[in-house]
Amino acid sequence: ILSKDYKASGVALCHRRHRGNRPSHRRASALGTGTLQHVARQRGDSQQCPAIETAKVLELGCAEGGNLVPHAARFPKATFVGVDLSKVQIDAGNAHIKELGLKNIELKHCSITDIDQKFGKFDYIICHGVISWVPDFVREKIFEVSAKNLSENGIAYISYNTLPGWNMIRTIRDMMLYHAKNFVTPQEKVSQSRLLLDFVKESLEGQETPYANILRSEAALLANQSDHYLRHDHLEEDNKQFYFSEFMNEAGAHGLQYLSDCSLPSMYLGNMPKNVAEKLQGLNDIVRTEQYMDFVANRRFRSTLLCHSSVKLNRSINNEDVKKFAMSLNVVPEKKLSEVDINNNENATFYFNNNKDSNIGSTSPGLKSVLYTFAENINNPLTFDDLVKNASSKLKGNMKEAVERDLVANAMNLVIKGYINLSLSSGNKDKVNMAKPKLSDLTIYQATKTNYNWVTNHLHMPIAVNIFDKFAMQYMNGKNDKEQIITNLLDDVRNGKITVNKDNQKLESDADIKKELNNFYDDLIGRFTNAALFV
């Protein structure tokens, strides 16, 4: 348990952190001065990155557009282009685009190596989960495109497998490749690889050597991953891993510089052991610092942001900067607001992501009111002013200045610790008509016209949905109220399209079914609201 009490502000963080490796597609000086020296952000007299609302975006290896299509639907004035070598994927993506009637996106069936200057310049270039799994000549082309096709102030995103994290698990990959080569079809190779993982775990029973513990942990972790992950990450012929410094040498040779990591907390030295942070603070070289942090953390995956070397960067981040953003924090209070008096100095506890092993506590009335406001607005970013206004209303007397002071003093710390999420746009919860709930055209399309078991919310996150959710979604077009939606669902039950069970028993009478649908509807509205799905 790692616990630290920020007495100046009255915030305490307590959480168990898993420091081992796991598949994840995912610094600075101490925060006491309110300034982070090693986090890149464009600001002030430095150059500004393009606005996404009108940007030109290119994705390398776009598949069927699962990333680009939601962006195109949300930002109609922006332009999106995707390329992929799979004609099947491109055809599927273009079918989605046609059905949705999107005019600002184009998916092209071609190789990354076919991209030249005729494609034009792009403000954002995305290459996720590609560069580690292609031949050397394609990797070289990715860096070339990221430089030559990037606009003056544009940003390129590239994700890749990293060392040293992969050094310790390459043995598992080698085992799987050795065993799988005796089989023909991809599914056979995956199935046999799973059997191999079981064999490894069984063979290590009773062994407690460091090597055995590493293999056992990795085998158990991979056993819970999808077939797609095993096939893509461990059974591909090409799987190149980079030390971060090696990656940046390649990027630098093409005139690109390091902007930042997609995960701000991963860059914060204060999240490292104290003695490590003290030794690295004096390096004054962000690439070397990041490389040493990778060595210590045994990092295995990175999502790196690059820009042209000519771009001037202002790397300072101050506590006051939170005023420029909308903020959200996924916390659940230990006690309901109605059960406590937040005006006193008693401690209040909030569970981060509803996990009791990771909590945030405060005795400050101002901060407690802020945390309760966050809890009421899960996945609904609030501007600084709205957050202060909402929180102040929960306190007795005129506490606006105190709330603002406490929020400024603590918010950036919670950002770099990985708690608060920053956004350039605020949520829409206060504008949703709950009497006649409405989903976006994209969400309804994904629910009714695809086999996905997820839909995309306004924060560009995949939200898992079940069969009942998908049936209800088709009626949430802003024209139907609760009674009409339940009536439509009841008709679906009568027509045999869906069944309603309770306690593992199929309900038969209309009265029982309607009662259960009412309960389902109320639960659904709460889940969809917290998932930022309504417009």
PDB file of all heavy atoms in Angstrom, residues 133 166 172-173 175-181 186-194 227-239:
ATOM      1  N   TRP A 133       4.978  -4.909 -36.102  1.00  0.00           N
ATOM      2  CA  TRP A 133       4.549  -6.164 -36.724  1.00  0.00           C
ATOM      3  C   TRP A 133       4.665  -6.157 -38.246  1.00  0.00           C
ATOM      4  O   TRP A 133       3.929  -6.845 -38.929  1.00  0.00           O
ATOM      5  CB  TRP A 133       3.106  -6.460 -36.308  1.00  0.00           C
ATOM      6  CG  TRP A 133       2.974  -6.683 -34.836  1.00  0.00           C
ATOM      7  CD1 TRP A 133       3.134  -7.860 -34.172  1.00  0.00           C
ATOM      8  CD2 TRP A 133       2.686  -5.713 -33.837  1.00  0.00           C
ATOM      9  NE1 TRP A 133       2.969  -7.675 -32.823  1.00  0.00           N
ATOM     10  CE2 TRP A 133       2.689  -6.353 -32.581  1.00  0.00           C
ATOM     11  CE3 TRP A 133       2.431  -4.330 -33.894  1.00  0.00           C
ATOM     12  CZ2 TRP A 133       2.442  -5.694 -31.396  1.00  0.00           C
ATOM     13  CZ3 TRP A 133       2.191  -3.666 -32.702  1.00  0.00           C
ATOM     14  CH2 TRP A 133       2.192  -4.344 -31.471  1.00  0.00           C
ATOM     15  N   TRP A 166       9.976  -6.661 -23.125  1.00  0.00           N
ATOM     16  CA  TRP A 166       9.803  -7.844 -23.968  1.00  0.00           C
ATOM     17  C   TRP A 166      10.944  -8.851 -23.828  1.00  0.00           C
ATOM     18  O   TRP A 166      10.811  -9.998 -24.238  1.00  0.00           O
ATOM     19  CB  TRP A 166       9.630  -7.424 -25.425  1.00  0.00           C
ATOM     20  CG  TRP A 166       8.187  -7.363 -25.812  1.00  0.00           C
ATOM     21  CD1 TRP A 166       7.334  -6.317 -25.639  1.00  0.00           C
ATOM     22  CD2 TRP A 166       7.418  -8.405 -26.413  1.00  0.00           C
ATOM     23  NE1 TRP A 166       6.081  -6.635 -26.097  1.00  0.00           N
ATOM     24  CE2 TRP A 166       6.108  -7.920 -26.579  1.00  0.00           C
ATOM     25  CE3 TRP A 166       7.705  -9.698 -26.832  1.00  0.00           C
ATOM     26  CZ2 TRP A 166       5.090  -8.682 -27.137  1.00  0.00           C
ATOM     27  CZ3 TRP A 166       6.696 -10.467 -27.392  1.00  0.00           C
ATOM     28  CH2 TRP A 166       5.401  -9.958 -27.533  1.00  0.00           C
ATOM     29  N   ILE A 172       8.417 -16.932 -24.025  1.00  0.00           N
ATOM     30  CA  ILE A 172       7.070 -17.457 -24.230  1.00  0.00           C
ATOM     31  C   ILE A 172       6.709 -17.397 -25.712  1.00  0.00           C
ATOM     32  O   ILE A 172       6.157 -18.350 -26.274  1.00  0.00           O
ATOM     33  CB  ILE A 172       6.046 -16.651 -23.405  1.00  0.00           C
ATOM     34  CG1 ILE A 172       6.195 -16.957 -21.919  1.00  0.00           C
ATOM     35  CG2 ILE A 172       4.622 -16.940 -23.855  1.00  0.00           C
ATOM     36  CD1 ILE A 172       5.578 -18.266 -21.483  1.00  0.00           C
ATOM     37  N   ARG A 173       7.006 -16.273 -26.355  1.00  0.00           N
ATOM     38  CA  ARG A 173       6.730 -16.144 -27.791  1.00  0.00           C
ATOM     39  C   ARG A 173       7.497 -17.203 -28.582  1.00  0.00           C
ATOM     40  O   ARG A 173       6.943 -17.845 -29.476  1.00  0.00           O
ATOM     41  CB  ARG A 173       7.107 -14.740 -28.272  1.00  0.00           C
ATOM     42  CG  ARG A 173       7.158 -14.580 -29.789  1.00  0.00           C
ATOM     43  CD  ARG A 173       7.395 -13.129 -30.194  1.00  0.00           C
ATOM     44  NE  ARG A 173       8.029 -13.018 -31.502  1.00  0.00           N
ATOM     45  CZ  ARG A 173       7.383 -13.111 -32.655  1.00  0.00           C
ATOM     46  NH1 ARG A 173       6.092 -13.325 -32.667  1.00  0.00           N
ATOM     47  NH2 ARG A 173       8.043 -12.991 -33.796  1.00  0.00           N
ATOM     48  N   MET A 175       8.536 -20.100 -27.558  1.00  0.00           N
ATOM     49  CA  MET A 175       7.891 -21.396 -27.308  1.00  0.00           C
ATOM     50  C   MET A 175       6.662 -21.578 -28.197  1.00  0.00           C
ATOM     51  O   MET A 175       6.465 -22.634 -28.813  1.00  0.00           O
ATOM     52  CB  MET A 175       7.451 -21.493 -25.842  1.00  0.00           C
ATOM     53  CG  MET A 175       8.534 -21.692 -24.827  1.00  0.00           C
ATOM     54  SD  MET A 175       7.766 -21.843 -23.184  1.00  0.00           S
ATOM     55  CE  MET A 175       9.220 -21.861 -22.153  1.00  0.00           C
ATOM     56  N   MET A 176       5.825 -20.548 -28.234  1.00  0.00           N
ATOM     57  CA  MET A 176       4.579 -20.629 -28.987  1.00  0.00           C
ATOM     58  C   MET A 176       4.847 -20.764 -30.486  1.00  0.00           C
ATOM     59  O   MET A 176       4.192 -21.555 -31.179  1.00  0.00           O
ATOM     60  CB  MET A 176       3.720 -19.390 -28.698  1.00  0.00           C
ATOM     61  CG  MET A 176       3.210 -19.332 -27.270  1.00  0.00           C
ATOM     62  SD  MET A 176       2.473 -17.729 -26.810  1.00  0.00           S
ATOM     63  CE  MET A 176       1.040 -17.691 -27.863  1.00  0.00           C
ATOM     64  N   LEU A 177       5.811 -20.010 -31.001  1.00  0.00           N
ATOM     65  CA  LEU A 177       6.153 -20.105 -32.422  1.00  0.00           C
ATOM     66  C   LEU A 177       6.699 -21.487 -32.758  1.00  0.00           C
ATOM     67  O   LEU A 177       6.371 -22.069 -33.800  1.00  0.00           O
ATOM     68  CB  LEU A 177       7.178 -19.032 -32.791  1.00  0.00           C
ATOM     69  CG  LEU A 177       6.680 -17.593 -32.849  1.00  0.00           C
ATOM     70  CD1 LEU A 177       7.843 -16.636 -33.077  1.00  0.00           C
ATOM     71  CD2 LEU A 177       5.648 -17.435 -33.962  1.00  0.00           C
ATOM     72  N   TYR A 178       7.555 -22.026 -31.881  1.00  0.00           N
ATOM     73  CA  TYR A 178       8.143 -23.344 -32.111  1.00  0.00           C
ATOM     74  C   TYR A 178       7.063 -24.422 -32.161  1.00  0.00           C
ATOM     75  O   TYR A 178       7.072 -25.301 -33.029  1.00  0.00           O
ATOM     76  CB  TYR A 178       9.150 -23.659 -31.003  1.00  0.00           C
ATOM     77  CG  TYR A 178       9.799 -25.012 -31.131  1.00  0.00           C
ATOM     78  CD1 TYR A 178      10.858 -25.212 -32.021  1.00  0.00           C
ATOM     79  CD2 TYR A 178       9.352 -26.096 -30.373  1.00  0.00           C
ATOM     80  CE1 TYR A 178      11.448 -26.467 -32.143  1.00  0.00           C
ATOM     81  CE2 TYR A 178       9.942 -27.347 -30.491  1.00  0.00           C
ATOM     82  CZ  TYR A 178      10.993 -27.524 -31.381  1.00  0.00           C
ATOM     83  OH  TYR A 178      11.569 -28.765 -31.506  1.00  0.00           O
ATOM     84  N   HIS A 179       6.121 -24.338 -31.242  1.00  0.00           N
ATOM     85  CA  HIS A 179       5.062 -25.349 -31.185  1.00  0.00           C
ATOM     86  C   HIS A 179       4.054 -25.161 -32.315  1.00  0.00           C
ATOM     87  O   HIS A 179       3.623 -26.131 -32.946  1.00  0.00           O
ATOM     88  CB  HIS A 179       4.351 -25.248 -29.835  1.00  0.00           C
ATOM     89  CG  HIS A 179       3.303 -26.290 -29.615  1.00  0.00           C
ATOM     90  ND1 HIS A 179       3.584 -27.633 -29.546  1.00  0.00           N
ATOM     91  CD2 HIS A 179       1.953 -26.178 -29.458  1.00  0.00           C
ATOM     92  CE1 HIS A 179       2.470 -28.318 -29.358  1.00  0.00           C
ATOM     93  NE2 HIS A 179       1.463 -27.458 -29.306  1.00  0.00           N
ATOM     94  N   ALA A 180       3.713 -23.902 -32.618  1.00  0.00           N
ATOM     95  CA  ALA A 180       2.655 -23.622 -33.596  1.00  0.00           C
ATOM     96  C   ALA A 180       3.082 -23.915 -35.030  1.00  0.00           C
ATOM     97  O   ALA A 180       2.224 -24.114 -35.905  1.00  0.00           O
ATOM     98  CB  ALA A 180       2.205 -22.170 -33.485  1.00  0.00           C
ATOM     99  N   LYS A 181       4.382 -23.957 -35.308  1.00  0.00           N
ATOM    100  CA  LYS A 181       4.827 -24.163 -36.686  1.00  0.00           C
ATOM    101  C   LYS A 181       4.446 -25.552 -37.221  1.00  0.00           C
ATOM    102  O   LYS A 181       4.475 -25.777 -38.432  1.00  0.00           O
ATOM    103  CB  LYS A 181       6.329 -23.953 -36.796  1.00  0.00           C
ATOM    104  CG  LYS A 181       7.177 -25.027 -36.151  1.00  0.00           C
ATOM    105  CD  LYS A 181       8.670 -24.724 -36.318  1.00  0.00           C
ATOM    106  CE  LYS A 181       9.534 -25.813 -35.698  1.00  0.00           C
ATOM    107  NZ  LYS A 181      10.986 -25.519 -35.856  1.00  0.00           N
ATOM    108  N   PRO A 186      -4.549 -20.678 -38.815  1.00  0.00           N
ATOM    109  CA  PRO A 186      -4.351 -19.744 -37.694  1.00  0.00           C
ATOM    110  C   PRO A 186      -5.061 -20.200 -36.420  1.00  0.00           C
ATOM    111  O   PRO A 186      -4.521 -20.068 -35.322  1.00  0.00           O
ATOM    112  CB  PRO A 186      -4.932 -18.430 -38.223  1.00  0.00           C
ATOM    113  CG  PRO A 186      -4.786 -18.520 -39.704  1.00  0.00           C
ATOM    114  CD  PRO A 186      -5.018 -19.968 -40.023  1.00  0.00           C
ATOM    115  N   GLN A 187      -6.285 -20.742 -36.569  1.00  0.00           N
ATOM    116  CA  GLN A 187      -7.021 -21.165 -35.394  1.00  0.00           C
ATOM    117  C   GLN A 187      -6.352 -22.350 -34.706  1.00  0.00           C
ATOM    118  O   GLN A 187      -6.322 -22.435 -33.474  1.00  0.00           O
ATOM    119  CB  GLN A 187      -8.461 -21.524 -35.757  1.00  0.00           C
ATOM    120  CG  GLN A 187      -9.367 -21.741 -34.546  1.00  0.00           C
ATOM    121  CD  GLN A 187      -9.352 -20.557 -33.591  1.00  0.00           C
ATOM    122  OE1 GLN A 187      -9.546 -19.414 -34.003  1.00  0.00           O
ATOM    123  NE2 GLN A 187      -9.096 -20.809 -32.314  1.00  0.00           N
ATOM    124  N   GLU A 188      -5.806 -23.266 -35.512  1.00  0.00           N
ATOM    125  CA  GLU A 188      -5.068 -24.398 -34.924  1.00  0.00           C
ATOM    126  C   GLU A 188      -3.853 -23.890 -34.156  1.00  0.00           C
ATOM    127  O   GLU A 188      -3.549 -24.382 -33.054  1.00  0.00           O
ATOM    128  CB  GLU A 188      -4.616 -25.356 -36.022  1.00  0.00           C
ATOM    129  CG  GLU A 188      -5.693 -26.260 -36.575  1.00  0.00           C
ATOM    130  CD  GLU A 188      -5.152 -27.177 -37.662  1.00  0.00           C
ATOM    131  OE1 GLU A 188      -4.319 -26.729 -38.469  1.00  0.00           O
ATOM    132  OE2 GLU A 188      -5.563 -28.352 -37.686  1.00  0.00           O
ATOM    133  N   LYS A 189      -3.169 -22.933 -34.739  1.00  0.00           N
ATOM    134  CA  LYS A 189      -1.975 -22.402 -34.090  1.00  0.00           C
ATOM    135  C   LYS A 189      -2.328 -21.745 -32.748  1.00  0.00           C
ATOM    136  O   LYS A 189      -1.626 -21.931 -31.750  1.00  0.00           O
ATOM    137  CB  LYS A 189      -1.299 -21.374 -35.003  1.00  0.00           C
ATOM    138  CG  LYS A 189      -0.662 -21.976 -36.260  1.00  0.00           C
ATOM    139  CD  LYS A 189      -0.066 -20.894 -37.134  1.00  0.00           C
ATOM    140  CE  LYS A 189       0.544 -21.460 -38.407  1.00  0.00           C
ATOM    141  NZ  LYS A 189       1.749 -22.274 -38.152  1.00  0.00           N
ATOM    142  N   VAL A 190      -3.434 -21.000 -32.716  1.00  0.00           N
ATOM    143  CA  VAL A 190      -3.859 -20.357 -31.478  1.00  0.00           C
ATOM    144  C   VAL A 190      -4.285 -21.404 -30.450  1.00  0.00           C
ATOM    145  O   VAL A 190      -3.896 -21.342 -29.271  1.00  0.00           O
ATOM    146  CB  VAL A 190      -5.003 -19.363 -31.747  1.00  0.00           C
ATOM    147  CG1 VAL A 190      -5.600 -18.863 -30.433  1.00  0.00           C
ATOM    148  CG2 VAL A 190      -4.514 -18.179 -32.575  1.00  0.00           C
ATOM    149  N   SER A 191      -5.093 -22.369 -30.884  1.00  0.00           N
ATOM    150  CA  SER A 191      -5.570 -23.417 -29.965  1.00  0.00           C
ATOM    151  C   SER A 191      -4.405 -24.195 -29.369  1.00  0.00           C
ATOM    152  O   SER A 191      -4.369 -24.475 -28.158  1.00  0.00           O
ATOM    153  CB  SER A 191      -6.521 -24.364 -30.693  1.00  0.00           C
ATOM    154  OG  SER A 191      -7.663 -23.682 -31.149  1.00  0.00           O
ATOM    155  N   GLN A 192      -3.445 -24.554 -30.210  1.00  0.00           N
ATOM    156  CA  GLN A 192      -2.292 -25.306 -29.721  1.00  0.00           C
ATOM    157  C   GLN A 192      -1.416 -24.443 -28.812  1.00  0.00           C
ATOM    158  O   GLN A 192      -0.820 -24.946 -27.859  1.00  0.00           O
ATOM    159  CB  GLN A 192      -1.485 -25.829 -30.904  1.00  0.00           C
ATOM    160  CG  GLN A 192      -2.147 -26.972 -31.647  1.00  0.00           C
ATOM    161  CD  GLN A 192      -2.293 -28.214 -30.774  1.00  0.00           C
ATOM    162  OE1 GLN A 192      -1.408 -28.535 -29.973  1.00  0.00           O
ATOM    163  NE2 GLN A 192      -3.421 -28.909 -30.909  1.00  0.00           N
ATOM    164  N   SER A 193      -1.367 -23.153 -29.084  1.00  0.00           N
ATOM    165  CA  SER A 193      -0.601 -22.254 -28.220  1.00  0.00           C
ATOM    166  C   SER A 193      -1.227 -22.182 -26.829  1.00  0.00           C
ATOM    167  O   SER A 193      -0.516 -22.104 -25.819  1.00  0.00           O
ATOM    168  CB  SER A 193      -0.531 -20.856 -28.841  1.00  0.00           C
ATOM    169  OG  SER A 193       0.211 -20.875 -30.040  1.00  0.00           O
ATOM    170  N   ARG A 194      -2.547 -22.216 -26.779  1.00  0.00           N
ATOM    171  CA  ARG A 194      -3.220 -22.211 -25.472  1.00  0.00           C
ATOM    172  C   ARG A 194      -2.908 -23.504 -24.711  1.00  0.00           C
ATOM    173  O   ARG A 194      -2.702 -23.478 -23.489  1.00  0.00           O
ATOM    174  CB  ARG A 194      -4.729 -22.042 -25.658  1.00  0.00           C
ATOM    175  CG  ARG A 194      -5.128 -20.659 -26.156  1.00  0.00           C
ATOM    176  CD  ARG A 194      -6.617 -20.412 -25.984  1.00  0.00           C
ATOM    177  NE  ARG A 194      -6.995 -19.092 -26.472  1.00  0.00           N
ATOM    178  CZ  ARG A 194      -6.824 -17.958 -25.803  1.00  0.00           C
ATOM    179  NH1 ARG A 194      -6.269 -17.994 -24.596  1.00  0.00           N
ATOM    180  NH2 ARG A 194      -7.204 -16.796 -26.318  1.00  0.00           N
ATOM    181  N   ASP A 227      -8.073 -14.543 -28.680  1.00  0.00           N
ATOM    182  CA  ASP A 227      -7.373 -15.221 -29.767  1.00  0.00           C
ATOM    183  C   ASP A 227      -6.674 -14.206 -30.661  1.00  0.00           C
ATOM    184  O   ASP A 227      -5.555 -14.429 -31.130  1.00  0.00           O
ATOM    185  CB  ASP A 227      -8.358 -16.052 -30.612  1.00  0.00           C
ATOM    186  CG  ASP A 227      -8.824 -17.308 -29.888  1.00  0.00           C
ATOM    187  OD1 ASP A 227      -8.320 -17.575 -28.773  1.00  0.00           O
ATOM    188  OD2 ASP A 227      -9.687 -18.015 -30.429  1.00  0.00           O
ATOM    189  N   HIS A 228      -7.350 -13.079 -30.894  1.00  0.00           N
ATOM    190  CA  HIS A 228      -6.772 -12.043 -31.757  1.00  0.00           C
ATOM    191  C   HIS A 228      -5.466 -11.531 -31.175  1.00  0.00           C
ATOM    192  O   HIS A 228      -4.484 -11.327 -31.906  1.00  0.00           O
ATOM    193  CB  HIS A 228      -7.760 -10.883 -31.917  1.00  0.00           C
ATOM    194  CG  HIS A 228      -7.187  -9.700 -32.639  1.00  0.00           C
ATOM    195  ND1 HIS A 228      -7.044  -9.671 -34.011  1.00  0.00           N
ATOM    196  CD2 HIS A 228      -6.687  -8.517 -32.176  1.00  0.00           C
ATOM    197  CE1 HIS A 228      -6.496  -8.521 -34.361  1.00  0.00           C
ATOM    198  NE2 HIS A 228      -6.277  -7.806 -33.271  1.00  0.00           N
ATOM    199  N   TYR A 229      -5.439 -11.314 -29.862  1.00  0.00           N
ATOM    200  CA  TYR A 229      -4.219 -10.806 -29.236  1.00  0.00           C
ATOM    201  C   TYR A 229      -3.084 -11.809 -29.394  1.00  0.00           C
ATOM    202  O   TYR A 229      -1.963 -11.441 -29.752  1.00  0.00           O
ATOM    203  CB  TYR A 229      -4.464 -10.505 -27.758  1.00  0.00           C
ATOM    204  CG  TYR A 229      -3.214 -10.053 -27.030  1.00  0.00           C
ATOM    205  CD1 TYR A 229      -2.822  -8.720 -27.074  1.00  0.00           C
ATOM    206  CD2 TYR A 229      -2.414 -10.954 -26.339  1.00  0.00           C
ATOM    207  CE1 TYR A 229      -1.668  -8.289 -26.436  1.00  0.00           C
ATOM    208  CE2 TYR A 229      -1.249 -10.535 -25.707  1.00  0.00           C
ATOM    209  CZ  TYR A 229      -0.886  -9.211 -25.755  1.00  0.00           C
ATOM    210  OH  TYR A 229       0.262  -8.800 -25.136  1.00  0.00           O
ATOM    211  N   LEU A 230      -3.348 -13.097 -29.120  1.00  0.00           N
ATOM    212  CA  LEU A 230      -2.296 -14.116 -29.235  1.00  0.00           C
ATOM    213  C   LEU A 230      -1.783 -14.205 -30.669  1.00  0.00           C
ATOM    214  O   LEU A 230      -0.578 -14.304 -30.906  1.00  0.00           O
ATOM    215  CB  LEU A 230      -2.836 -15.478 -28.790  1.00  0.00           C
ATOM    216  CG  LEU A 230      -3.191 -15.626 -27.307  1.00  0.00           C
ATOM    217  CD1 LEU A 230      -3.644 -17.054 -27.023  1.00  0.00           C
ATOM    218  CD2 LEU A 230      -2.003 -15.279 -26.435  1.00  0.00           C
ATOM    219  N   ARG A 231      -2.701 -14.167 -31.615  1.00  0.00           N
ATOM    220  CA  ARG A 231      -2.314 -14.299 -33.021  1.00  0.00           C
ATOM    221  C   ARG A 231      -1.504 -13.091 -33.468  1.00  0.00           C
ATOM    222  O   ARG A 231      -0.510 -13.225 -34.182  1.00  0.00           O
ATOM    223  CB  ARG A 231      -3.573 -14.459 -33.876  1.00  0.00           C
ATOM    224  CG  ARG A 231      -3.300 -14.795 -35.338  1.00  0.00           C
ATOM    225  CD  ARG A 231      -4.578 -15.247 -36.048  1.00  0.00           C
ATOM    226  NE  ARG A 231      -5.592 -14.205 -36.068  1.00  0.00           N
ATOM    227  CZ  ARG A 231      -6.748 -14.280 -35.439  1.00  0.00           C
ATOM    228  NH1 ARG A 231      -7.036 -15.345 -34.694  1.00  0.00           N
ATOM    229  NH2 ARG A 231      -7.631 -13.297 -35.515  1.00  0.00           N
ATOM    230  N   HIS A 232      -1.925 -11.897 -33.024  1.00  0.00           N
ATOM    231  CA  HIS A 232      -1.292 -10.665 -33.496  1.00  0.00           C
ATOM    232  C   HIS A 232       0.011 -10.374 -32.769  1.00  0.00           C
ATOM    233  O   HIS A 232       0.995  -9.950 -33.386  1.00  0.00           O
ATOM    234  CB  HIS A 232      -2.264  -9.489 -33.311  1.00  0.00           C
ATOM    235  CG  HIS A 232      -1.738  -8.179 -33.789  1.00  0.00           C
ATOM    236  ND1 HIS A 232      -1.361  -7.969 -35.096  1.00  0.00           N
ATOM    237  CD2 HIS A 232      -1.508  -7.006 -33.138  1.00  0.00           C
ATOM    238  CE1 HIS A 232      -0.933  -6.721 -35.234  1.00  0.00           C
ATOM    239  NE2 HIS A 232      -1.007  -6.124 -34.061  1.00  0.00           N
ATOM    240  N   ASP A 233       0.037 -10.577 -31.461  1.00  0.00           N
ATOM    241  CA  ASP A 233       1.198 -10.167 -30.682  1.00  0.00           C
ATOM    242  C   ASP A 233       2.271 -11.246 -30.572  1.00  0.00           C
ATOM    243  O   ASP A 233       3.455 -10.926 -30.517  1.00  0.00           O
ATOM    244  CB  ASP A 233       0.744  -9.763 -29.266  1.00  0.00           C
ATOM    245  CG  ASP A 233       1.150  -8.338 -28.941  1.00  0.00           C
ATOM    246  OD1 ASP A 233       0.905  -7.478 -29.795  1.00  0.00           O
ATOM    247  OD2 ASP A 233       1.695  -8.103 -27.852  1.00  0.00           O
ATOM    248  N   HIS A 234       1.885 -12.510 -30.536  1.00  0.00           N
ATOM    249  CA  HIS A 234       2.857 -13.560 -30.244  1.00  0.00           C
ATOM    250  C   HIS A 234       3.085 -14.546 -31.379  1.00  0.00           C
ATOM    251  O   HIS A 234       4.116 -15.218 -31.399  1.00  0.00           O
ATOM    252  CB  HIS A 234       2.440 -14.318 -28.980  1.00  0.00           C
ATOM    253  CG  HIS A 234       2.658 -13.537 -27.724  1.00  0.00           C
ATOM    254  ND1 HIS A 234       3.797 -13.648 -26.961  1.00  0.00           N
ATOM    255  CD2 HIS A 234       1.903 -12.604 -27.113  1.00  0.00           C
ATOM    256  CE1 HIS A 234       3.727 -12.832 -25.924  1.00  0.00           C
ATOM    257  NE2 HIS A 234       2.580 -12.188 -25.992  1.00  0.00           N
ATOM    258  N   LEU A 235       2.160 -14.655 -32.310  1.00  0.00           N
ATOM    259  CA  LEU A 235       2.312 -15.638 -33.376  1.00  0.00           C
ATOM    260  C   LEU A 235       2.612 -15.011 -34.734  1.00  0.00           C
ATOM    261  O   LEU A 235       2.749 -15.731 -35.721  1.00  0.00           O
ATOM    262  CB  LEU A 235       1.049 -16.516 -33.467  1.00  0.00           C
ATOM    263  CG  LEU A 235       0.775 -17.372 -32.230  1.00  0.00           C
ATOM    264  CD1 LEU A 235      -0.540 -18.124 -32.387  1.00  0.00           C
ATOM    265  CD2 LEU A 235       1.926 -18.356 -31.987  1.00  0.00           C
ATOM    266  N   GLU A 236       2.700 -13.684 -34.792  1.00  0.00           N
ATOM    267  CA  GLU A 236       3.096 -13.035 -36.037  1.00  0.00           C
ATOM    268  C   GLU A 236       4.575 -13.315 -36.313  1.00  0.00           C
ATOM    269  O   GLU A 236       5.394 -13.371 -35.393  1.00  0.00           O
ATOM    270  CB  GLU A 236       2.889 -11.519 -35.943  1.00  0.00           C
ATOM    271  CG  GLU A 236       1.438 -11.085 -36.025  1.00  0.00           C
ATOM    272  CD  GLU A 236       0.927 -11.019 -37.455  1.00  0.00           C
ATOM    273  OE1 GLU A 236       1.689 -11.389 -38.370  1.00  0.00           O
ATOM    274  OE2 GLU A 236      -0.233 -10.610 -37.640  1.00  0.00           O
ATOM    275  N   GLU A 237       4.897 -13.469 -37.598  1.00  0.00           N
ATOM    276  CA  GLU A 237       6.296 -13.685 -37.959  1.00  0.00           C
ATOM    277  C   GLU A 237       7.153 -12.485 -37.577  1.00  0.00           C
ATOM    278  O   GLU A 237       8.275 -12.621 -37.100  1.00  0.00           O
ATOM    279  CB  GLU A 237       6.407 -13.949 -39.462  1.00  0.00           C
ATOM    280  CG  GLU A 237       7.824 -14.214 -39.931  1.00  0.00           C
ATOM    281  CD  GLU A 237       7.896 -14.510 -41.420  1.00  0.00           C
ATOM    282  OE1 GLU A 237       6.825 -14.727 -42.026  1.00  0.00           O
ATOM    283  OE2 GLU A 237       9.006 -14.499 -41.973  1.00  0.00           O
ATOM    284  N   ASP A 238       6.622 -11.284 -37.813  1.00  0.00           N
ATOM    285  CA  ASP A 238       7.335 -10.059 -37.461  1.00  0.00           C
ATOM    286  C   ASP A 238       6.849  -9.549 -36.110  1.00  0.00           C
ATOM    287  O   ASP A 238       5.658  -9.350 -35.908  1.00  0.00           O
ATOM    288  CB  ASP A 238       7.103  -8.981 -38.520  1.00  0.00           C
ATOM    289  CG  ASP A 238       7.757  -9.315 -39.846  1.00  0.00           C
ATOM    290  OD1 ASP A 238       9.002  -9.358 -39.896  1.00  0.00           O
ATOM    291  OD2 ASP A 238       7.017  -9.543 -40.825  1.00  0.00           O
ATOM    292  N   ASN A 239       7.780  -9.343 -35.202  1.00  0.00           N
ATOM    293  CA  ASN A 239       7.470  -8.704 -33.929  1.00  0.00           C
ATOM    294  C   ASN A 239       8.737  -8.012 -33.458  1.00  0.00           C
ATOM    295  O   ASN A 239       9.578  -8.590 -32.794  1.00  0.00           O
ATOM    296  CB  ASN A 239       6.988  -9.709 -32.884  1.00  0.00           C
ATOM    297  CG  ASN A 239       6.485  -9.032 -31.620  1.00  0.00           C
ATOM    298  OD1 ASN A 239       6.974  -7.981 -31.232  1.00  0.00           O
ATOM    299  ND2 ASN A 239       5.511  -9.640 -30.973  1.00  0.00           N
TER     300      ASN A 239
END
